[in-house]
Amino acid sequence: IILTYGLKAYQEVRNDKSDTNWLLLDYESERSDKLKLTQTGTGGLSELTGILDESKASYAYVRVSYSNDKESTREKFILVIWIGSSCKVMRKAKISVHSADVKNVLRVYSIEVAAREKDDLKEEPIVVRLRKAGGASYDGV
């Protein structure tokens, strides 16, 4: 489902020595069911959110860093399934099938984030979910 350089980008996002912390997959065209890597970045969720297109359905893989306490930082991965508010109905109808295919390739993530609007990708609530998914909580959350 994903071209070879998509796998390379996935490995870059997973590599904590790499600055690349997200990748974006889009459909090759409106009629195509093939996904292609369209962009990678180093600016985290806020940068990714800024480029998401309201007319598209896209998939993103993001490394999120957060602090558990003053001494430690954790890194977790999220899978974002973006369905823009003006995405075509036929594209929306195929998302669940395509999401399963994407999950077979981008396998390692802590949580899945279904986003319909950019506010769904605010970092703070996502970090709260990551902490809950990660088990130990050091700050009473």
Side-chain angles (χ1 to χ4, degrees):
I1 188 168
I2 299 170
L3 306 173
T4 308
Y5 56 80
L7 289 174
K8 183 176 183 293
Y10 172 67
Q11 291 162 347
E12 281 284 302
V13 174
R14 293 208 41 82
N15 180 354
D16 60 2
K17 291 176 178 55
S18 166
D19 289 337
T20 302
N21 57 19
W22 62 266
L23 65 82
L24 181 65
L25 303 172
D26 285 309
Y27 291 94
E28 286 183 344
S29 69
E30 279 190 31
R31 297 202 188 286
S32 175
D33 287 341
K34 286 189 177 171
L35 291 168
K36 66 176 183 175
L37 176 72
T38 48
Q39 207 163 338
T40 60
T42 58
L45 268 172
S46 59
E47 181 181 50
L48 170 67
T49 302
I51 63 157
L52 290 171
D53 186 330
E54 298 287 343
S55 68
K56 290 184 177 179
S58 305
Y59 303 87
Y61 187 72
V62 187
R63 179 177 1 129
V64 179
S65 299
Y66 61 93
S67 297
N68 268 342
D69 52 41
K70 291 182 185 94
E71 284 81 43
S72 67
T73 301
R74 299 192 82 167
E75 290 191 329
K76 297 283 183 182
F77 300 90
I78 66 170
L79 177 66
V80 175
I81 300 171
W82 168 256
I83 303 175
S85 57
S86 55
C87 180
K88 289 191 165 60
V89 172
M90 287 306 292
R91 177 63 75 205
K92 287 180 186 178
K94 295 180 178 181
I95 293 296
S96 61
V97 173
H98 295 166
S99 294
D101 292 338
V102 169
K103 291 174 191 177
N104 282 332
V105 178
L106 306 178
R107 291 175 175 260
V108 183
Y109 57 90
S110 296
I111 60 170
E112 177 183 321
V113 179
R116 304 289 180 269
E117 52 191 58
K118 294 188 177 190
D119 278 355
D120 294 336
L121 293 172
K122 287 187 174 169
E123 195 154 342
E124 193 174 313
I126 289 173
V127 168
V128 168
R129 285 184 60 198
L130 285 169
R131 282 195 175 115
K132 287 179 181 171
S137 177
Y138 300 97
D139 54 7
V141 177

